[in-house]
Amino acid sequence: MDQPLSFQTALDEVVPRFVAVLTQNVVGLCLAAVAWFGLVIAGVLAVLIVPFFVAGPGFGILVMVYGEAEPPSWALLAVILPSMLAYLVCFGGLLLGLTPAMQGSLYRAFDGALAGGALSAGAPLSSLRLHLRPVVLTNATLVCGALLGFLLLVIPGLLFSLLTLFALPAAALDGLGPTAALSRAVGHARANPGYHAGIILGAFLISMLGSAIPVLGSGLATVVSMGWICACYRRAFPADAGATEAAGLA
């Protein structure tokens, strides 16, 4: 970028383009939000229910063998440990696998809509496998960095999250690996603080408006927020330039 992007850039250039995309894809946007909400709920239910199915047969055997007597500790551990492992696998799969894969798919769907395409109801699932490895690895890096930062009295974790808003779009849209994606995100945020202040303000307003909508408001706010970040990212890193850089880093 020859000149730093500013808050006014986000307001004057990105907002009108983004609003135009939303108005042209109202139905697809709402259906995509419903799909996102349903998939996340299904994932959360799996995290909660699967451990009980894993532990159920074991507890049944304990009742058959020991009746009303208290089973020994080793027997309880033999039942509880597989259930805990199932919980961790499901939770990790949702947090580090399914969710970032759906985010990547949504970013690419919005990228297509910004280029003149249509946003479909299947946007969260339409391109799960594309750039899956960099998306998953970048997301894992972001989660670990944010958790570490929040352990250091919250503020470092918040700053890390705000500085790396462009990291997952960089992985999802341009195929950058974790190091390159984080470097691009942090470097751009430091060089263009006003522009990123506009991104953060826009995401905050979208979240506030979504919270006023019952039931599906959170899903709609999440999807629209990702679209907003995608639009801001593409203003900063146009598709052709991003593809060229990604090819150079491959």
Side-chain angles (χ1 to χ4, degrees), residues 178-241:
T179 302
L182 264 70
S183 177
R184 171 180 283 193
V186 174
H188 194 272
R190 293 178 63 184
N192 303 272
Y195 186 65
H196 281 261
I199 299 171
I200 294 166
L201 177 60
F204 174 76
L205 292 176
I206 291 169
S207 178
M208 292 296 294
L209 291 172
S211 65
I213 302 174
V215 185
L216 293 177
S218 61
L220 187 61
T222 300
V223 171
V224 175
S225 291
M226 280 189 278
W228 165 245
I229 293 173
C230 177
C232 293
Y233 176 84
R234 272 303 181 224
R235 172 60 183 84
F237 300 99
D240 292 341

Side-chain angles (χ1 to χ4, degrees), residues 85-176:
L85 180 61
Y87 174 82
L88 291 175
V89 169
C90 291
F91 182 77
L94 177 64
L95 180 65
L96 301 176
L98 178 61
T99 299
M102 291 195 303
Q103 286 177 304
S105 183
L106 272 168
Y107 279 130
R108 287 185 289 272
F110 270 107
D111 196 31
L114 288 165
L119 191 69
S120 69
L125 299 174
S126 60
S127 60
L128 286 178
R129 297 177 61 184
L130 184 61
H131 299 321
L132 182 60
R133 185 173 182 272
V135 165
V136 169
L137 291 178
T138 300
N139 177 74
T141 304
L142 293 174
V143 170
C144 291
L147 288 176
L148 180 61
F150 279 112
L151 289 175
L152 300 174
L153 301 179
V154 179
I155 293 178
L158 181 61
L159 289 175
F160 177 81
S161 298
L162 294 178
L163 286 172
T164 56
L165 283 175
F166 277 177
L168 202 58
L173 300 179
D174 295 328
L176 300 189

Side-chain angles (χ1 to χ4, degrees), residues 57-79:
F59 280 116
I61 293 173
L62 291 182
V63 171
M64 291 174 59
V65 174
Y66 296 99
E68 296 182 358
E70 183 177 350
S73 298
W74 65 265
L76 286 173
L77 284 175
V79 173

